[in-house]
Amino acid sequence: DAGVIQSPRHEVTEMGQEVTLRCKPISGHNSLFWYRQTMMRGLELLIYFNNNVPIDDSGMPEDRFSAKMPNASFSTLKIQPSEPRDSAVYFCASSSGPTDINEQYFGPGTRLTVT
Amino acid sequence: RKEVEQDPGPFNVPEGATVAFNCTYSNSASQSFFWYRQDCRKEPKLLMSVYSSGNEDGRFTAQLNRASQYISLLIRDSKLSDSATYLCVVKNYNQGGKLIFGQGTELSVKP
């Protein structure tokens, strides 16, 4: 199994540009999570999907952030326009369900730098 | 106040030492508890779940005290490869079952 796949692994962009992060969950998993990690705030849940439907987006910082999951094997997190304070590592994770017995498997992350 | 609080460390210990990490959580409705491990510049990975009766996995022992809202992780006979950040995690079903991560405790095991 390839695990959770994220792309790109690194992204450097200028303030004001649109950034799109991509995630392919583990095949058969029906829950997908987007996290952001910074030194200051640690690991924070941005949004999660169950069966492709957004369940909780209360962690999305503001309207500049949006996430979609058009099918069970693909999700995107978009930032438009990007700002320097968005610089962080963005992780995607998937699990076979939202209950406590379902371990979340994290992807390798996308390291975003906004200059 | 953060919902899950940990001592950030770093904990610098020699090989073979026993080290303990503590974690407190503020939501009494929290129902599931975990320790994740994160290596430098890598993704978090589940180390172990934490059960009410306490549980052990080799050199690792996790304990939960619901009355005090306190979780611990004990590592015995520490190895160089144990160097990582250890994340305390709670799951709250009254928040849709999402995971809440502590800031992490950094461990550095020296030869």
Side-chain angles (χ1 to χ4, degrees):
Chain A
D1 194 329
V4 176
I5 298 172
Q6 291 187 246
S7 65
R9 295 291 305 276
H10 301 272
E11 177 82 28
V12 180
T13 191
E14 291 183 348
M15 183 173 65
Q17 296 299 305
E18 177 179 298
V19 174
T20 298
L21 311 181
R22 297 173 176 79
C23 176
K24 177 178 168 54
I26 292 172
S27 178
H29 282 189
N30 55 12
S31 294
L32 183 140
F33 308 80
W34 281 102
Y35 291 89
R36 177 173 68 176
Q37 187 172 38
T38 62
M39 288 291 291
M40 289 292 293
R41 300 174 66 88
L43 197 62
E44 301 173 289
L45 178 68
L46 300 177
I47 184 171
Y48 83 91
F49 297 83
N50 195 41
N51 294 322
N52 312 338
V53 176
I55 303 300
D56 183 350
D57 65 354
S58 59
M60 295 286 263
E62 48 198 275
D63 292 345
R64 297 184 297 107
F65 286 69
S66 62
K68 294 182 180 179
M69 191 165 186
N71 57 62
S73 58
F74 183 67
S75 177
T76 59
L77 178 68
K78 186 176 293 187
I79 309 172
Q80 165 65 11
S82 58
E83 297 183 2
R85 60 193 168 117
D86 302 330
S87 297
V89 181
Y90 291 81
F91 289 105
C92 176
S94 72
S95 71
S96 56
T99 61
D100 67 321
I101 62 171
N102 303 114
E103 176 183 350
Q104 288 188 19
Y105 294 83
F106 282 74
T110 295
R111 189 169 297 274
L112 173 66
T113 303
V114 183
T115 61
Chain B
R1 181 188 173 194
K2 293 187 191 301
E3 190 163 347
V4 179
E5 297 215 51
Q6 298 180 246
D7 181 341
F11 283 52
N12 296 306
V13 303
E15 267 188 294
T18 295
V19 60
F21 303 138
N22 302 320
C23 169
T24 57
Y25 60 96
S26 61
N27 188 340
S28 58
S30 297
Q31 293 177 283
S32 298
F33 309 90
F34 311 90
W35 284 99
Y36 273 67
R37 170 190 168 133
Q38 186 173 22
D39 292 294
C40 186
R41 300 180 78 84
K42 298 283 190 179
E43 69 274 21
K45 293 183 179 179
L46 179 66
L47 177 67
M48 60 197 299
S49 300
V50 186
Y51 301 117
S52 296
S53 55
N55 48 298
E56 191 173 301
D57 182 1
R59 297 181 294 107
F60 299 82
T61 301
Q63 293 197 311
L64 168 66
N65 184 323
R66 285 188 185 270
S68 303
Q69 297 180 200
Y70 170 92
I71 307 160
S72 66
L73 176 68
L74 184 78
I75 305 176
R76 290 183 300 279
D77 188 23
S78 52
K79 312 291 185 190
L80 297 177
S81 57
D82 294 334
S83 297
T85 295
Y86 291 82
L87 301 162
C88 177
V89 185
V90 305
K91 192 165 191 173
N92 301 329
Y93 287 93
N94 63 353
Q95 292 179 303
K98 65 184 184 185
L99 297 183
I100 311 294
F101 284 78
Q103 286 279 87
T105 298
E106 184 183 345
L107 172 65
S108 179
V109 182
K110 306 291 188 185

Short mmCIF file of all heavy atoms in Angstrom, two decimals, chain B residues 58-107:
data_model
loop_
_atom_site.label_atom_id
_atom_site.label_comp_id
_atom_site.label_asym_id
_atom_site.label_seq_id
_atom_site.Cartn_x
_atom_site.Cartn_y
_atom_site.Cartn_z
N GLY B 58 5.81 -3.36 24.91
CA GLY B 58 7.27 -3.45 25.01
C GLY B 58 7.79 -2.49 26.07
O GLY B 58 7.41 -2.57 27.23
N ARG B 59 8.64 -1.58 25.65
CA ARG B 59 9.26 -0.63 26.60
C ARG B 59 8.36 0.56 26.91
O ARG B 59 8.73 1.42 27.71
CB ARG B 59 10.57 -0.13 26.00
CG ARG B 59 11.61 -1.22 25.79
CD ARG B 59 12.92 -0.66 25.22
NE ARG B 59 12.77 -0.13 23.86
CZ ARG B 59 12.78 1.16 23.56
NH1 ARG B 59 12.94 2.08 24.52
NH2 ARG B 59 12.64 1.56 22.29
N PHE B 60 7.22 0.62 26.29
CA PHE B 60 6.32 1.77 26.43
C PHE B 60 5.10 1.40 27.28
O PHE B 60 4.46 0.39 27.04
CB PHE B 60 5.84 2.24 25.05
CG PHE B 60 6.97 2.70 24.15
CD1 PHE B 60 7.73 1.78 23.44
CD2 PHE B 60 7.27 4.04 24.04
CE1 PHE B 60 8.77 2.21 22.62
CE2 PHE B 60 8.31 4.47 23.22
CZ PHE B 60 9.06 3.56 22.52
N THR B 61 4.80 2.28 28.24
CA THR B 61 3.62 2.10 29.09
C THR B 61 2.81 3.39 29.09
O THR B 61 3.36 4.46 29.35
CB THR B 61 4.01 1.75 30.53
OG1 THR B 61 4.78 0.54 30.53
CG2 THR B 61 2.77 1.56 31.40
N ALA B 62 1.53 3.26 28.81
CA ALA B 62 0.64 4.42 28.82
C ALA B 62 -0.37 4.27 29.93
O ALA B 62 -0.85 3.17 30.20
CB ALA B 62 -0.07 4.54 27.47
N GLN B 63 -0.68 5.37 30.58
CA GLN B 63 -1.67 5.35 31.66
C GLN B 63 -2.61 6.53 31.52
O GLN B 63 -2.24 7.60 31.02
CB GLN B 63 -0.98 5.37 33.01
CG GLN B 63 -0.19 4.09 33.28
CD GLN B 63 0.15 3.92 34.74
OE1 GLN B 63 0.64 4.86 35.35
NE2 GLN B 63 -0.10 2.75 35.30
N LEU B 64 -3.83 6.31 32.00
CA LEU B 64 -4.89 7.33 31.94
C LEU B 64 -5.51 7.47 33.31
O LEU B 64 -5.83 6.47 33.96
CB LEU B 64 -5.95 6.89 30.92
CG LEU B 64 -7.27 7.65 30.90
CD1 LEU B 64 -7.05 9.09 30.46
CD2 LEU B 64 -8.27 6.95 29.98
N ASN B 65 -5.69 8.69 33.74
CA ASN B 65 -6.41 8.98 34.98
C ASN B 65 -7.55 9.93 34.61
O ASN B 65 -7.34 11.13 34.45
CB ASN B 65 -5.48 9.62 36.01
CG ASN B 65 -6.16 9.86 37.35
OD1 ASN B 65 -7.33 10.21 37.42
ND2 ASN B 65 -5.43 9.66 38.42
N ARG B 66 -8.74 9.37 34.46
CA ARG B 66 -9.88 10.19 34.01
C ARG B 66 -10.28 11.22 35.06
O ARG B 66 -10.69 12.32 34.73
CB ARG B 66 -11.08 9.30 33.69
CG ARG B 66 -10.94 8.53 32.38
CD ARG B 66 -12.23 7.82 32.04
NE ARG B 66 -12.12 6.99 30.85
CZ ARG B 66 -12.37 7.42 29.62
NH1 ARG B 66 -12.73 8.68 29.41
NH2 ARG B 66 -12.25 6.60 28.59
N ALA B 67 -10.16 10.85 36.33
CA ALA B 67 -10.57 11.78 37.39
C ALA B 67 -9.71 13.04 37.36
O ALA B 67 -10.21 14.15 37.56
CB ALA B 67 -10.47 11.09 38.75
N SER B 68 -8.43 12.87 37.11
CA SER B 68 -7.51 14.00 37.07
C SER B 68 -7.32 14.55 35.66
O SER B 68 -6.61 15.54 35.47
CB SER B 68 -6.13 13.59 37.62
OG SER B 68 -6.25 13.10 38.94
N GLN B 69 -7.92 13.85 34.67
CA GLN B 69 -7.77 14.25 33.26
C GLN B 69 -6.30 14.35 32.88
O GLN B 69 -5.81 15.37 32.39
CB GLN B 69 -8.54 15.56 33.00
CG GLN B 69 -10.03 15.37 33.23
CD GLN B 69 -10.87 16.62 32.99
OE1 GLN B 69 -11.99 16.72 33.46
NE2 GLN B 69 -10.36 17.56 32.25
N TYR B 70 -5.63 13.24 33.09
CA TYR B 70 -4.19 13.17 33.00
C TYR B 70 -3.80 11.89 32.27
O TYR B 70 -4.36 10.82 32.51
CB TYR B 70 -3.65 13.17 34.44
CG TYR B 70 -2.20 12.89 34.63
CD1 TYR B 70 -1.26 13.92 34.66
CD2 TYR B 70 -1.76 11.58 34.84
CE1 TYR B 70 0.06 13.65 34.89
CE2 TYR B 70 -0.42 11.31 35.06
CZ TYR B 70 0.48 12.35 35.09
OH TYR B 70 1.80 12.09 35.31
N ILE B 71 -2.84 12.03 31.36
CA ILE B 71 -2.35 10.89 30.57
C ILE B 71 -0.83 10.88 30.69
O ILE B 71 -0.21 11.95 30.75
CB ILE B 71 -2.73 11.05 29.08
CG1 ILE B 71 -4.23 11.29 28.92
CG2 ILE B 71 -2.31 9.84 28.28
CD1 ILE B 71 -4.57 11.92 27.57
N SER B 72 -0.25 9.70 30.73
CA SER B 72 1.20 9.63 30.81
C SER B 72 1.74 8.59 29.84
O SER B 72 1.03 7.67 29.42
CB SER B 72 1.65 9.31 32.23
OG SER B 72 1.24 7.99 32.59
N LEU B 73 3.00 8.76 29.51
CA LEU B 73 3.73 7.80 28.69
C LEU B 73 5.09 7.58 29.34
O LEU B 73 5.80 8.54 29.60
CB LEU B 73 3.91 8.31 27.26
CG LEU B 73 4.74 7.41 26.33
CD1 LEU B 73 3.98 6.11 26.04
CD2 LEU B 73 5.07 8.13 25.03
N LEU B 74 5.40 6.33 29.61
CA LEU B 74 6.68 5.97 30.21
C LEU B 74 7.48 5.17 29.20
O LEU B 74 6.97 4.21 28.61
CB LEU B 74 6.45 5.13 31.47
CG LEU B 74 7.68 4.75 32.29
CD1 LEU B 74 8.13 5.95 33.12
CD2 LEU B 74 7.37 3.57 33.21
N ILE B 75 8.72 5.57 29.00
CA ILE B 75 9.62 4.82 28.11
C ILE B 75 10.76 4.29 28.96
O ILE B 75 11.49 5.07 29.59
CB ILE B 75 10.18 5.72 26.99
CG1 ILE B 75 9.04 6.39 26.21
CG2 ILE B 75 11.06 4.89 26.05
CD1 ILE B 75 9.53 7.37 25.15
N ARG B 76 10.90 2.98 28.98
CA ARG B 76 11.99 2.34 29.73
C ARG B 76 13.13 2.01 28.80
O ARG B 76 12.94 1.78 27.59
CB ARG B 76 11.48 1.07 30.40
CG ARG B 76 10.50 1.29 31.54
CD ARG B 76 10.12 -0.06 32.18
NE ARG B 76 9.50 -0.94 31.19
CZ ARG B 76 8.22 -0.85 30.83
NH1 ARG B 76 7.43 0.06 31.35
NH2 ARG B 76 7.73 -1.69 29.95
N ASP B 77 14.35 1.96 29.36
CA ASP B 77 15.53 1.55 28.60
C ASP B 77 15.57 2.28 27.26
O ASP B 77 15.60 1.67 26.18
CB ASP B 77 15.49 0.03 28.38
CG ASP B 77 16.77 -0.50 27.76
OD1 ASP B 77 17.82 0.17 27.88
OD2 ASP B 77 16.71 -1.57 27.11
N SER B 78 15.58 3.59 27.31
CA SER B 78 15.46 4.39 26.10
C SER B 78 16.60 4.12 25.13
O SER B 78 17.75 3.88 25.53
CB SER B 78 15.37 5.88 26.45
OG SER B 78 16.44 6.26 27.29
N LYS B 79 16.28 4.18 23.85
CA LYS B 79 17.22 3.94 22.75
C LYS B 79 17.43 5.25 21.98
O LYS B 79 16.57 6.14 22.00
CB LYS B 79 16.66 2.89 21.78
CG LYS B 79 16.12 1.64 22.42
CD LYS B 79 17.20 0.80 23.03
CE LYS B 79 16.64 -0.52 23.56
NZ LYS B 79 17.65 -1.24 24.38
N LEU B 80 18.54 5.31 21.26
CA LEU B 80 18.79 6.48 20.41
C LEU B 80 17.63 6.70 19.45
O LEU B 80 17.23 7.83 19.16
CB LEU B 80 20.09 6.30 19.62
CG LEU B 80 21.38 6.20 20.44
CD1 LEU B 80 22.57 5.95 19.50
CD2 LEU B 80 21.61 7.44 21.27
N SER B 81 17.05 5.60 18.97
CA SER B 81 15.97 5.68 18.00
C SER B 81 14.65 6.18 18.59
O SER B 81 13.70 6.43 17.84
CB SER B 81 15.73 4.31 17.36
OG SER B 81 15.44 3.35 18.37
N ASP B 82 14.60 6.33 19.91
CA ASP B 82 13.40 6.89 20.52
C ASP B 82 13.36 8.41 20.41
O ASP B 82 12.33 9.03 20.72
CB ASP B 82 13.31 6.52 22.01
CG ASP B 82 13.13 5.03 22.25
OD1 ASP B 82 12.58 4.35 21.36
OD2 ASP B 82 13.54 4.55 23.32
N SER B 83 14.45 9.02 19.97
CA SER B 83 14.50 10.48 19.82
C SER B 83 13.45 10.92 18.82
O SER B 83 13.46 10.50 17.65
CB SER B 83 15.89 10.93 19.36
OG SER B 83 16.86 10.61 20.32
N ALA B 84 12.53 11.76 19.28
CA ALA B 84 11.40 12.20 18.46
C ALA B 84 10.57 13.15 19.30
O ALA B 84 10.90 13.42 20.46
CB ALA B 84 10.54 11.01 18.01
N THR B 85 9.49 13.63 18.73
CA THR B 85 8.51 14.41 19.48
C THR B 85 7.30 13.52 19.72
O THR B 85 6.82 12.85 18.80
CB THR B 85 8.10 15.68 18.71
OG1 THR B 85 9.24 16.54 18.60
CG2 THR B 85 6.99 16.43 19.45
N TYR B 86 6.83 13.50 20.96
CA TYR B 86 5.71 12.64 21.34
C TYR B 86 4.48 13.52 21.56
O TYR B 86 4.49 14.45 22.38
CB TYR B 86 6.07 11.83 22.59
CG TYR B 86 7.13 10.81 22.27
CD1 TYR B 86 8.47 11.17 22.24
CD2 TYR B 86 6.78 9.51 21.93
CE1 TYR B 86 9.45 10.25 21.89
CE2 TYR B 86 7.75 8.57 21.58
CZ TYR B 86 9.08 8.95 21.56
OH TYR B 86 10.04 8.03 21.20
N LEU B 87 3.43 13.20 20.82
CA LEU B 87 2.22 14.02 20.81
C LEU B 87 1.11 13.31 21.58
O LEU B 87 0.78 12.16 21.29
CB LEU B 87 1.76 14.25 19.36
CG LEU B 87 2.76 14.96 18.45
CD1 LEU B 87 2.40 14.75 16.99
CD2 LEU B 87 2.79 16.43 18.76
N CYS B 88 0.56 14.00 22.53
CA CYS B 88 -0.60 13.51 23.29
C CYS B 88 -1.85 13.91 22.51
O CYS B 88 -1.97 15.07 22.08
CB CYS B 88 -0.57 14.16 24.67
SG CYS B 88 -1.97 13.75 25.73
N VAL B 89 -2.77 12.97 22.34
CA VAL B 89 -3.93 13.22 21.47
C VAL B 89 -5.20 12.73 22.16
O VAL B 89 -5.22 11.64 22.72
CB VAL B 89 -3.76 12.48 20.13
CG1 VAL B 89 -4.89 12.83 19.17
CG2 VAL B 89 -2.42 12.80 19.49
N VAL B 90 -6.25 13.55 22.11
CA VAL B 90 -7.54 13.13 22.64
C VAL B 90 -8.58 13.22 21.54
O VAL B 90 -8.44 13.99 20.59
CB VAL B 90 -7.96 13.98 23.86
CG1 VAL B 90 -6.89 13.97 24.93
CG2 VAL B 90 -8.29 15.40 23.46
N LYS B 91 -9.60 12.43 21.70
CA LYS B 91 -10.70 12.42 20.72
C LYS B 91 -11.99 12.68 21.48
O LYS B 91 -12.30 12.00 22.45
CB LYS B 91 -10.75 11.07 20.02
CG LYS B 91 -11.64 11.03 18.79
CD LYS B 91 -11.34 9.78 17.99
CE LYS B 91 -11.99 9.83 16.63
NZ LYS B 91 -11.57 8.70 15.77
N ASN B 92 -12.72 13.69 21.01
CA ASN B 92 -13.94 14.10 21.69
C ASN B 92 -15.13 13.85 20.80
O ASN B 92 -15.26 14.46 19.74
CB ASN B 92 -13.89 15.59 22.02
CG ASN B 92 -12.72 15.94 22.91
OD1 ASN B 92 -12.29 15.14 23.71
ND2 ASN B 92 -12.19 17.14 22.75
N TYR B 93 -16.02 12.98 21.24
CA TYR B 93 -17.16 12.67 20.40
C TYR B 93 -18.18 13.80 20.38
O TYR B 93 -18.97 13.89 19.46
CB TYR B 93 -17.77 11.33 20.79
CG TYR B 93 -16.87 10.23 20.32
CD1 TYR B 93 -15.90 9.70 21.16
CD2 TYR B 93 -16.91 9.78 19.00
CE1 TYR B 93 -15.02 8.74 20.70
CE2 TYR B 93 -16.05 8.82 18.55
CZ TYR B 93 -15.10 8.30 19.40
OH TYR B 93 -14.23 7.35 18.94
N ASN B 94 -18.10 14.70 21.37
CA ASN B 94 -19.01 15.85 21.31
C ASN B 94 -18.46 16.94 20.40
O ASN B 94 -19.04 18.01 20.28
CB ASN B 94 -19.29 16.41 22.71
CG ASN B 94 -18.06 16.95 23.40
OD1 ASN B 94 -16.95 16.80 22.89
ND2 ASN B 94 -18.24 17.56 24.54
N GLN B 95 -17.33 16.67 19.78
CA GLN B 95 -16.77 17.56 18.77
C GLN B 95 -16.64 16.82 17.45
O GLN B 95 -15.73 17.05 16.67
CB GLN B 95 -15.40 18.09 19.21
CG GLN B 95 -15.47 19.04 20.39
CD GLN B 95 -14.08 19.52 20.80
OE1 GLN B 95 -13.22 18.72 21.10
NE2 GLN B 95 -13.89 20.83 20.82
N GLY B 96 -17.53 15.88 17.25
CA GLY B 96 -17.54 15.15 15.98
C GLY B 96 -16.46 14.11 15.86
O GLY B 96 -16.22 13.59 14.78
N GLY B 97 -15.81 13.79 16.96
CA GLY B 97 -14.81 12.73 16.92
C GLY B 97 -13.47 13.16 16.38
O GLY B 97 -12.62 12.32 16.09
N LYS B 98 -13.24 14.45 16.29
CA LYS B 98 -11.95 14.86 15.73
C LYS B 98 -10.84 14.74 16.78
O LYS B 98 -11.08 14.78 17.97
CB LYS B 98 -12.03 16.29 15.20
CG LYS B 98 -12.28 17.35 16.24
CD LYS B 98 -12.44 18.71 15.56
CE LYS B 98 -12.60 19.84 16.55
NZ LYS B 98 -12.86 21.12 15.87
N LEU B 99 -9.62 14.58 16.29
CA LEU B 99 -8.46 14.46 17.16
C LEU B 99 -7.97 15.85 17.55
O LEU B 99 -7.88 16.74 16.71
CB LEU B 99 -7.32 13.72 16.45
CG LEU B 99 -7.56 12.27 16.06
CD1 LEU B 99 -6.30 11.69 15.44
CD2 LEU B 99 -8.01 11.44 17.23
N ILE B 100 -7.65 16.01 18.84
CA ILE B 100 -7.05 17.24 19.34
C ILE B 100 -5.64 16.90 19.79
O ILE B 100 -5.46 16.05 20.66
CB ILE B 100 -7.84 17.82 20.54
CG1 ILE B 100 -9.35 17.88 20.23
CG2 ILE B 100 -7.29 19.19 20.92
CD1 ILE B 100 -9.72 18.83 19.13
N PHE B 101 -4.66 17.56 19.20
CA PHE B 101 -3.26 17.26 19.46
C PHE B 101 -2.66 18.24 20.47
O PHE B 101 -2.93 19.44 20.41
CB PHE B 101 -2.43 17.36 18.17
CG PHE B 101 -2.62 16.20 17.23
CD1 PHE B 101 -3.74 16.11 16.43
CD2 PHE B 101 -1.65 15.21 17.14
CE1 PHE B 101 -3.91 15.05 15.56
CE2 PHE B 101 -1.80 14.13 16.27
CZ PHE B 101 -2.94 14.05 15.49
N GLY B 102 -1.84 17.71 21.39
CA GLY B 102 -1.01 18.57 22.19
C GLY B 102 0.14 19.10 21.37
O GLY B 102 0.35 18.68 20.21
N GLN B 103 0.89 20.02 21.95
CA GLN B 103 2.01 20.65 21.23
C GLN B 103 3.18 19.69 21.03
O GLN B 103 4.05 19.94 20.21
CB GLN B 103 2.51 21.86 22.02
CG GLN B 103 1.60 23.07 21.95
CD GLN B 103 1.80 23.86 20.67
OE1 GLN B 103 1.18 23.58 19.66
NE2 GLN B 103 2.67 24.85 20.71
N GLY B 104 3.20 18.62 21.84
CA GLY B 104 4.28 17.65 21.69
C GLY B 104 5.38 17.87 22.70
O GLY B 104 5.64 19.00 23.14
N THR B 105 6.02 16.78 23.09
CA THR B 105 7.19 16.80 23.98
C THR B 105 8.37 16.24 23.21
O THR B 105 8.29 15.12 22.70
CB THR B 105 6.96 15.97 25.25
OG1 THR B 105 5.87 16.53 25.98
CG2 THR B 105 8.21 15.97 26.12
N GLU B 106 9.43 17.02 23.12
CA GLU B 106 10.61 16.58 22.38
C GLU B 106 11.53 15.75 23.27
O GLU B 106 11.85 16.15 24.39
CB GLU B 106 11.36 17.80 21.85
CG GLU B 106 12.54 17.45 20.97
CD GLU B 106 13.31 18.70 20.52
OE1 GLU B 106 12.77 19.83 20.65
OE2 GLU B 106 14.46 18.55 20.07
N LEU B 107 11.92 14.60 22.75
CA LEU B 107 12.85 13.72 23.46
C LEU B 107 14.12 13.56 22.64
O LEU B 107 14.05 13.26 21.44
CB LEU B 107 12.23 12.35 23.69
CG LEU B 107 13.16 11.27 24.25
CD1 LEU B 107 13.62 11.62 25.66
CD2 LEU B 107 12.50 9.90 24.23
#
